[in-house]
Amino acid sequence: MKAVVCRSPGDLVLEDRAKPGAPPPGWARVAVSHVGICGTDYHIFEGKHPFLAYPRIMGHEVSGTIVERGECVELSVGEPVIVNPYLACGKCIACRHGKPNCCVRIEVLGVHRDGAMCDEMLVPAQNLYPANGLSLADAAAVEFLAIGAHAVRRSLASPGQRTLVIGAGPIGLGTALFARIAGLDVSLLDMSTERLGFAENELGFAALDGSKAPAAELVRQATDGEAFDLVFDATGNTQSVQSAFAHVAHGGTLVLVSVVKDDITFSDPEFHKREMTLIGSRNALRADFEHVAASIREGAVPLAKLVTHRTTLAGTPRDLARWAHEKSGLIKAVIEVGS
């Protein structure tokens, strides 16, 4: 089969690889249909991922069709599926408490083990969800949107709460969309006038342009000095995360959607006087995947606007390398593998 392999930072090639063998019990062999390109994939290509061994087949935003199933698999051959790329051990404290998304020994397809930028792959059946009428192109977008949907569910927000999403990249936009679906009053803050223009003009969000005024002043103006009931940081930027504490109202909540490598510091007196709630959000659960899929089917997610760039498996080495640097107009890129 064909596979896109990142041999080392900056070295991305199309290779011939052996097809996966017969699936073991509880697993299925999946013909890959579509793969979304994530910020993680760009980081792997650029050598910025801290926990990755090269060479690696990237890709964890995946849809496909079952072509062979192992014993004890109830899904049918020929069934279109959404792939949950978070492989959990099923035994650790997080898994026992129903939180496989933060499994102690989690392996993510395309990161800790080879992923979906190839013709076929083996996946545990418990990580395959029926597409139930979604097109395979739309099904590949479920995973990245589930990150934001999970963060919103973690926040325990109430409809009408004044909400700020910091970061207008794909994860931030997904978070904003599912915050709005949850009935929240959503504004987006970013340093990119282009991305904010997209969020405002194409998606209908209020925009706070951090390139034109200090974020603290923009927040003050937008909330009459009270700050936001709920703040999500989806930037992956240490300074932004640390600044986000000041954007939270008294009694409010800060949700850290993205992760940074650095230590985060904040003023304890400010934190306590607000009686602030701080929540971490990692990956997503099956309930989040199903909520996203249902929202797409209901027309609540404008995927046609979010997917701005497309390529093929053969074109991926050229296009991914280019898109890693040429971000203008880029929201979400998708590889059409089996279409």
Side-chain angles (χ1 to χ4, degrees):
M1 68 175 184
K2 296 295 184 181
V4 174
V5 182
C6 192
R7 293 174 171 171
S8 61
D11 183 12
L12 195 63
V13 296
L14 186 69
E15 287 187 358
D16 288 314
R17 287 283 185 101
K19 283 189 175 184
W27 289 58
R29 182 163 59 92
V30 175
V32 177
S33 176
H34 291 73
V35 184
I37 301 177
C38 174
T40 297
D41 300 318
Y42 295 120
H43 289 158
I44 292 170
F45 171 72
E46 294 171 325
K48 297 178 181 178
H49 198 287
F51 307 118
L52 186 117
Y54 297 90
R56 178 63 71 226
I57 299 174
M58 301 181 291
H60 61 271
E61 302 176 4
V62 196
S63 67
T65 303
I66 294 176
V67 292
E68 186 180 2
R69 58 182 187 172
E71 296 178 9
C72 306
V73 175
E74 296 181 359
L75 295 165
S76 302
V77 171
E79 184 156 15
V81 290
I82 302 161
V83 177
N84 177 338
Y86 322 128
L87 276 56
C89 73
K91 299 176 181 179
C92 72
I93 184 169
C95 290
R96 297 197 309 271
H97 290 166
K99 293 178 67 68
N101 60 304
C102 58
C103 168
V104 172
R105 289 175 285 276
I106 198 167
E107 290 187 301
V108 180
L109 296 174
V111 180
H112 304 96
R113 60 167 66 194
D114 283 341
M117 291 186 189
C118 57
D119 290 321
E120 294 185 357
M121 63 192 305
L122 296 179
V123 184
Q126 66 184 11
N127 288 71
L128 299 173
Y129 309 148
N132 287 336
L134 281 187
S135 71
L136 285 167
D138 288 353
V142 171
E143 190 275 340
F144 95 85
L145 291 167
I147 301 295
H150 181 71
V152 171
R153 190 159 63 88
R154 287 273 293 146
S155 74
L156 301 176
S158 301
Q161 282 189 307
R162 196 157 47 188
T163 301
L164 179 67
V165 177
I166 309 172
I171 298 301
L173 292 173
T175 302
L177 286 166
F178 280 88
R180 184 163 65 190
I181 288 170
L184 307 180
D185 178 12
V186 184
S187 298
L188 271 160
L189 169 65
D190 200 281
M191 296 293 290
S192 169
T193 300
E194 179 183 342
R195 288 199 175 228
L196 286 175
F198 175 86
E200 187 172 29
N201 299 324
E202 299 295 332
L203 304 180
F205 290 110
L208 307 182
D209 192 339
S211 71
K212 295 182 177 178
E217 178 61 20
L218 294 171
V219 169
R220 188 192 66 78
Q221 293 175 2
T223 62
D224 295 324
E226 292 184 329
F228 285 89
D229 303 311
L230 180 59
V231 176
F232 296 90
D233 190 285
T235 63
N237 179 278
T238 301
Q239 183 177 349
S240 175
V241 173
Q242 294 187 160
S243 299
F245 285 81
H247 304 331
V248 181
H250 282 239
T253 298
L254 173 60
V255 183
L256 302 185
V257 187
S258 59
V259 62
V260 299
K261 293 188 293 182
D262 304 307
D263 291 340
I264 298 300
T265 61
F266 56 91
S267 166
D268 187 61
E270 290 294 327
F271 181 79
H272 269 84
K273 80 178 186 181
R274 285 170 166 79
E275 199 180 50
M276 188 191 302
T277 300
L278 177 62
I279 295 174
S281 183
R282 186 182 186 193
N283 298 329
L285 294 167
R286 179 165 188 157
D288 305 306
F289 279 76
E290 292 175 344
H291 175 41
V292 170
S295 298
I296 294 172
R297 281 191 290 269
E298 293 163 4
V301 181
L303 277 181
K305 294 180 179 180
L306 295 174
V307 179
T308 55
H309 292 54
R310 292 174 174 82
T311 188
T312 62
L313 203 60
T316 296
R318 174 197 66 230
D319 292 332
L320 191 151
R322 178 163 53 90
W323 295 334
H325 305 287
E326 297 178 9
K327 300 293 188 183
S328 181
L330 174 64
I331 301 297
K332 172 58 65 175
V334 173
I335 305 167
E336 297 173 344
V337 178
S339 59

